[in-house]
Amino acid sequence: MTDHTETDPTPYADVETVLCDEFAGIHSSTTVTRCVEAAHYGALEVTGYAHPSLVERIARKHLHVLALVASERG
């Protein structure tokens, strides 16, 4: 047995990858990660379950709103 333990990827790693690619040049990967985490917790609170496709849809909405706000600020 080794002392090295690998961390498991989050269940939303694929969601983060898709959204990072989609919003490249608009949002940083940190912002995408925060939106995915917020979407995860929001889905859990509202539905009791956070399926990756639901988390992706919620996070995408968050990212669109943030982009809109940023564009309006100039």
Side-chain angles (χ1 to χ4, degrees):
M1 191 156 109
T2 66
D3 290 334
H4 175 70
T5 58
E6 291 184 31
T7 58
D8 291 331
T10 70
Y12 307 110
D14 291 340
V15 170
E16 287 185 34
T17 299
V18 166
L19 293 176
C20 278
D21 289 346
E22 184 175 333
F23 289 92
I26 300 169
H27 296 301
S28 69
S29 60
T30 302
T31 300
V32 172
T33 298
R34 284 196 328 248
C35 285
V36 169
E37 289 172 356
H40 163 80
Y41 290 113
L44 283 177
E45 283 186 24
V46 173
T47 67
Y49 185 69
H51 190 276
S53 65
L54 177 59
V55 170
E56 181 177 346
R57 289 193 320 254
I58 295 168
R60 182 175 282 112
K61 294 286 185 185
H62 289 178
L63 293 163
H64 279 292
V65 168
L66 288 174
L68 178 63
V69 168
S71 72
E72 288 180 352
R73 286 186 181 168

